[in-house]
Amino acid sequence: MRLTDEQWVLLAPFLTPPEKTTKRGRPRRDDRTLLEGILWVLRTGAQWEKLPRSDDPPTSTCFARFQEWNDRTVFPAVLGQLYEVLEDRGLLDLREAFIDGTFSAANKGARMSAPPRRARAPRS
C-alpha cells in the first residue's frame, strides 16, 4: 500500500527538511519514499530489518528519518493528518483496539514466592 498523490499533497507540508548548514554529505533521500517505508513498518509491526529492499531505501535511513521526525515532533502531525483522512472516509473504526505487551523472565528463573536458599535464609 503506497501513499496516493492526494495523501502526499496533504502530508508534504509537514515534512520540510531542516536547513542544511554545510554542503558536505550525501544528497537527502526522498521524503515520500522514506515515509512509505516507515508507514510499512508501523502498519505491519515488522522489525526495521525486515523492510523490503526492492523499492525502499536502506533500513538505517528509514529509521534515522523516523527518529528525526520524532525529535522535531513532525511525525505525530503526519499521523494525525492521516487519521483525519481515514476517519472522514469512514475507513477507521476505533471502537476496538489492541495493545501488545512484552514479557520478561524472572531474575535467574526464580519465582517471587520461592523460599530463599538456605545460605541466604534469615537468621534468628
Side-chain angles (χ1 to χ4, degrees):
M1 182 172 146
R2 299 288 183 190
L3 290 172
T4 64
D5 291 335
E6 176 189 355
Q7 290 169 331
W8 179 244
V9 168
L10 292 172
L11 300 179
F14 294 107
L15 306 175
T16 56
E19 191 171 314
K20 194 168 183 176
T21 57
T22 104
K23 294 186 179 189
R24 300 176 65 186
R26 294 181 181 209
R28 189 170 170 91
R29 290 271 188 163
D30 178 43
D31 286 333
R32 183 174 182 168
T33 306
L34 290 168
L35 180 60
E36 288 174 347
I38 291 167
L39 291 174
W40 183 87
V41 169
L42 295 176
R43 184 177 61 251
T44 62
Q47 298 172 346
W48 289 101
E49 293 80 24
K50 304 293 183 192
L51 189 66
R53 297 259 180 182
S54 59
D55 51 354
D56 289 322
T59 58
S60 59
T61 307
C62 278
F63 181 73
R65 191 67 55 90
F66 177 70
Q67 291 296 337
E68 174 191 324
W69 286 338
N70 274 328
D71 292 344
R72 291 176 36 209
T73 64
V74 170
F75 207 64
V78 168
L79 290 179
Q81 186 68 35
L82 287 175
Y83 169 78
E84 288 179 19
V85 169
L86 291 173
E87 189 177 44
D88 291 345
R89 293 183 181 176
L91 299 174
L92 192 62
D93 183 12
L94 294 179
R95 289 180 291 176
E96 186 174 345
F98 299 93
I99 298 174
D100 191 7
T102 302
F103 300 93
S104 58
N107 190 14
K108 296 185 181 181
R111 296 184 314 202
M112 290 296 291
S113 61
R117 293 188 314 201
R118 183 177 177 146
R120 296 185 186 226
R123 298 180 185 192
S124 46

